[in-house]
Amino acid sequence: MRRAVCPGSFDPIHNGHVEIIARASNLFDEVIVAVSTNYAKKYRFEPDERLEMVRETIGGLRGVSVEPMGDGLLADFCKLHGADAIVKGLRSTVDYQYETPMAVMNRHLTGVETVFLAADNRYMHLSSSLLKEVQSLGGDVADYLPRTVLKRLRSNTP
Ligand code: PNS
């Protein structure tokens, strides 16, 4: 039984995340989507709402569950849940440079490996921050967000 963790703050979850989680679920028997909250960060959505949006979006994927990660170490979360790997999407060399030190540190901490999946061409330019900015300025981001997330984003526009 191989178990992976897909971590993120998911503020909010978008189609690029969904694609990586779906591909992770093809590679592993179980995938836990871990919704993190760094209390020093300012989010658009509350922890419960981010969790709810992830559940609504990927609830139908076989072998995938969703858990709050809180603000502790990802490596500890992986150990607690018996995960063999962390799965992350890479959009560019910028992501690679940002992610590799964390991958090495997480392996040092608990031995958990990180598996990088190259982002699909359709989603290489996506980030939650970019989508929030474009949407709040009136741009159309419907192609990139699950329907329920788009609805919540519209009713939560600053
Ligand atoms: O969606 P994000 O905000 O890019 O997700 C970042 C996340 C949650 C994956 C990263 O910040 C993380 O791993 N946070 C947990 C804290 C931690 O373990 N820090 C040390 C990393 S070596």
Side-chain angles (χ1 to χ4, degrees), residues 16-37:
H17 294 131
V18 177
E19 206 254 344
I20 293 293
I21 295 166
R23 283 163 61 197
S25 78
N26 289 331
L27 293 173
F28 291 87
D29 302 300
E30 281 183 23
V31 172
I32 304 171
V33 181
V35 182
S36 75
T37 298

Side-chain angles (χ1 to χ4, degrees), residues 71-125:
D71 63 349
L73 282 174
L74 174 57
D76 287 342
F77 180 91
C78 290
K79 192 172 179 188
L80 186 71
H81 289 82
D84 308 285
I86 295 164
V87 174
K88 295 227 178 149
L90 287 188
R91 292 163 297 189
S92 66
T93 55
V94 177
D95 276 356
Y96 177 81
Q97 282 177 357
Y98 176 72
E99 293 291 349
T100 43
M102 292 198 283
V104 174
M105 181 58 81
N106 283 326
R107 184 160 171 264
H108 165 78
L109 291 170
T110 59
V112 66
E113 293 282 6
T114 297
V115 174
F116 293 121
L117 300 181
D120 189 271
N121 277 339
R122 289 169 296 167
Y123 306 125
M124 271 184 169
H125 58 303

Side-chain angles (χ1 to χ4, degrees), residues 44 130-142 150 153-154 157-158:
R44 175 86 159 262
L130 182 64
L131 291 169
K132 282 181 287 191
E133 182 184 339
V134 172
Q135 187 276 334
S136 69
L137 296 171
D140 181 3
V141 288
L150 185 65
L153 202 58
R154 282 178 178 154
T157 303

Side-chain angles (χ1 to χ4, degrees), residues 45-66:
F45 295 96
E46 295 297 322
D48 283 355
E49 199 167 6
R50 287 185 281 118
L51 199 66
E52 226 172 272
M53 286 188 283
V54 178
R55 288 204 168 115
E56 283 168 3
T57 303
I58 54 99
L61 286 178
R62 197 173 48 84
V64 181
S65 59
V66 186

